[in-house]
Amino acid sequence: MSSTVKYSLAIVLFLVLGFGSVIYNRSETIQNQIFESQIVSLNDGFGYKILRGEKIVIVQEFVPGLPGKQQFVSKEEAQKTANLVLSKLEEGKSPILLPADLAKLNISTQVGH
């Protein structure tokens, strides 16, 4: 086998391994870009966290868009709200919620739960 053929095979092997490594690392990076939520149990109610991979992006201990510091009254309400935030983030929109968003989700807004 000539040295030119060996050299060409070495280059091809190097490129294949390099390309494979790039594809593998990219798939791991994409996996880390997926948003997820975790419901958090608090003293007087519930909240949620939004994560991207292992990184915490949002910690929401109070119902967003309302004055004061009111926690969610149930896990279900916290999860519905977290799901709306997740959908906004996945669409590339701002995760800010307004009182109208909470009304559509039937989130309790009474101070004395």
Side-chain angles (χ1 to χ4, degrees):
M1 197 185 275
S2 74
S3 63
T4 306
V5 172
K6 288 180 186 178
Y7 181 71
S8 297
L9 285 174
I11 290 176
V12 169
L13 181 61
F14 177 75
L15 290 174
V16 167
L17 289 175
F19 187 66
S21 175
V22 168
I23 290 174
Y24 177 76
N25 288 333
R26 180 175 163 83
S27 67
E28 280 191 357
T29 301
I30 290 170
Q31 191 70 11
N32 289 336
Q33 298 300 316
I34 296 173
F35 291 101
E36 1 177 2
S37 65
Q38 288 180 349
I39 303 307
V40 183
S41 181
L42 304 167
N43 291 336
D44 294 325
F46 299 91
Y48 62 84
K49 294 179 185 178
I50 304 294
L51 299 98
R52 177 187 274 174
E54 304 236 347
K55 181 180 177 186
I56 298 173
V57 179
I58 297 172
V59 175
Q60 190 66 52
E61 294 182 346
F62 307 105
V63 179
L66 296 180
K69 296 183 176 180
Q70 178 181 336
Q71 296 175 342
F72 291 95
V73 297
S74 70
K75 287 181 181 180
E76 293 76 19
E77 288 192 2
Q79 187 64 64
K80 286 194 298 187
T81 307
N83 289 344
L84 178 58
V85 171
L86 286 172
S87 69
K88 285 185 169 210
L89 288 170
E90 289 168 355
E91 293 172 4
K93 296 180 181 177
S94 169
I96 294 173
L97 298 180
L98 302 173
D101 296 319
L102 301 174
K104 289 178 187 174
L105 296 175
N106 293 320
I107 302 300
S108 301
T109 57
Q110 297 176 348
V111 175
H113 29 233

